[in-house]
Amino acid sequence: MAEVRGDGADRRKTRANIVECAARLLSEQGASAVTTRAVAQAAGVQAPTIYRFFEDKDALLDAVAEHVFAAYVAGKTLAEAGGDPIADLRAGWDAHIGFGLANPALFGLLVDPGRAARSPASAAGLEILRARVRRVAAIGRLRVPERRAVELIHAAGTGAVLALLATPPRHRDLDLADAMYQAVTRSILTDTPPLPMDDPAAAAIAFRAVAPELPTLTDTERALLSEWLDRAGAAG
């Protein structure tokens, strides 16, 4: 088995190989299969080599989760937004459900609060969701504040995946995820076309989505306006 020698490029290549081999073991056999011996054998290195890159198994699993989820988030980032913010929101939901069902062991790591809180990839994924929700708000279709909508979608998506993963594949009712999405959107979206005149809260939320971009206001004025609009949206 190879040892780590050479310059920084060699070390980066060795580390990447270890992470990729661990990710494959995680995907194919679950977290219990990601042992130092198994990863070392798959990566073609001696077991002590792994500890030159990772403090312990948890640190290795963190790196694996970050590696796989970062690739998934990058794919979401590169996907161009369509002309319909509502359709884009649904597409993001479907992608999230599909990723979770295709990567059950990894998803279990990502929803661990300790790991999620320090994961740049998780933060990037949430930012993509925020951007999609902001586009919905900007056309006047959001009836709750953006932050509330993001929290509801994120919680519902995570719960739907976990519920489906807890059921044997042959007994899974994939309509559960669709029903959950419909329940969430009924609570956060307006039923009428953009900017309904009879829904001042939706109008306030829509204005809140674009307020930070207003060029004629100072930073202080933007912050004050955003605070007022947050109150108006919450009151609705």
Side-chain angles (χ1 to χ4, degrees):
M1 290 189 177
E3 273 294 351
V4 182
R5 301 182 186 279
D7 57 17
D10 290 334
R11 289 183 58 82
R12 288 192 294 273
K13 183 177 179 180
T14 299
R15 184 185 188 280
N17 181 45
I18 291 171
V19 170
E20 288 171 3
C21 289
R24 188 161 52 250
L25 285 170
L26 178 68
S27 174
E28 295 174 353
Q29 303 179 42
S32 62
V34 186
T35 64
T36 301
R37 177 175 297 181
V39 173
Q41 183 175 4
V45 300
Q46 296 181 6
T49 299
I50 294 177
Y51 293 107
R52 298 182 184 180
F53 296 95
F54 307 101
E55 180 180 355
D56 52 27
K57 178 180 175 178
D58 278 345
L60 175 58
L61 288 173
D62 283 345
V64 169
E66 193 67 19
H67 168 72
V68 179
F69 194 60
Y72 164 67
V73 170
K76 291 174 66 177
T77 303
L78 292 174
E80 294 185 5
D84 184 351
I86 304 297
D88 287 345
L89 189 66
R90 177 58 195 255
W93 171 276
D94 290 341
H96 176 79
I97 300 298
F99 176 83
L101 295 181
N103 301 273
L106 177 63
F107 193 82
L109 296 178
L110 291 170
V111 298
D112 180 334
R115 284 192 170 90
R118 62 177 184 266
S119 167
S122 292
L126 275 175
E127 190 54 41
I128 291 173
L129 175 57
R130 291 189 188 100
R132 285 179 169 157
V133 169
R134 191 170 300 120
R135 291 182 63 229
V136 173
I139 63 170
R141 290 294 306 276
L142 206 60
R143 69 167 74 249
V144 300
E146 290 178 44
R147 178 176 177 180
R148 182 66 169 173
V150 169
E151 290 172 343
L152 286 170
I153 295 169
H154 179 64
T158 299
V161 173
L162 291 176
L164 289 169
L165 290 178
T167 305
R170 65 182 182 279
H171 295 310
R172 285 176 189 165
D173 178 7
L174 296 181
D175 288 341
L176 172 68
D178 182 66
M180 181 70 79
Y181 181 79
Q182 296 300 330
V184 171
T185 53
R186 279 196 297 270
S187 70
I188 68 173
L189 300 180
T190 63
D191 298 326
T192 52
L195 295 178
M197 297 304 296
D198 61 347
D199 195 342
I205 292 167
F207 192 23
R208 172 66 178 84
V210 300
E213 309 302 324
L214 294 175
T216 58
L217 301 181
T218 66
D219 290 343
T220 300
E221 289 169 337
R222 289 192 194 94
L224 184 58
L225 178 59
S226 295
E227 181 182 347
W228 289 341
L229 293 170
D230 280 341
R231 293 181 188 172

